[in-house]
Amino acid sequence: MSITIRDAVHGDEPHIVELIRELSETMDFPSEVTEKSAEKFLSFPGCGVLLAFEGEKALGLLSYSIRPGLFHGADSALIEELVVRREARGRGIGSALISEFLRKVKKMGCAEVSVTTMPDNEDAIRFYRFHGLVDEAVFLEKHF
């Protein structure tokens, strides 16, 4: 069966919650995601989710936000989360999601794409570099 990638729409919130919870378990870091928070994310201007399906089963997602950028005089895109179900890894789903995302944001006129990952997540770093992302800055954050 082939993989289909599409923009998430209202009604996809259960798929989003399942996938984000799987990511949370993988990271051993709790997520407070709910269907309501997924719905809020999808309805917020500039935010979106790409979902990868095989038949009716959601196998992966890439969530993102797009914001105006002053320095480049054009929008900038941020990959928020990228997750592929454990049982579906190694099938090119993550690559298909990021390739579709890069095509989408280039078409939208974004000047850059950013992503963060933990510094010891060598697989993710290698994956993003393979898709053309390079080390340009240090990203710092504070959780509340």
Side-chain angles (χ1 to χ4, degrees), residues 52 62 82-84 88 91-100 127 131:
L62 185 150
L82 174 61
V83 60
V84 175
R91 295 176 49 195
I93 295 168
S95 287
L97 283 163
I98 198 164
S99 294
E100 176 62 19
F127 173 82
H131 288 282

Side-chain angles (χ1 to χ4, degrees), residues 48-126:
V49 174
L50 291 175
L51 288 169
F53 283 91
E54 185 173 52
E56 298 294 315
K57 184 161 177 92
L59 297 180
L61 73 68
L62 185 150
S63 62
Y64 62 90
S65 57
I66 298 174
R67 62 176 174 75
L70 290 173
F71 185 81
H72 295 294
D75 289 346
S76 295
L78 174 66
I79 298 171
E80 303 276 351
E81 290 91 16
L82 174 61
V83 60
V84 175
R85 289 190 188 277
R86 280 181 200 90
E87 71 267 14
R89 292 182 188 157
R91 295 176 49 195
I93 295 168
S95 287
L97 283 163
I98 198 164
S99 294
E100 176 62 19
F101 174 70
L102 293 172
R103 183 199 63 73
K104 179 183 188 85
V105 297
K106 184 177 180 181
K107 186 177 177 181
M108 293 172 64
C110 288
E112 67 181 357
V113 172
S114 302
V115 65
T116 64
T117 189
M118 299 307 289
D120 62 345
N121 190 342
E122 294 175 10
D123 289 339
I125 293 167
R126 195 171 23 260

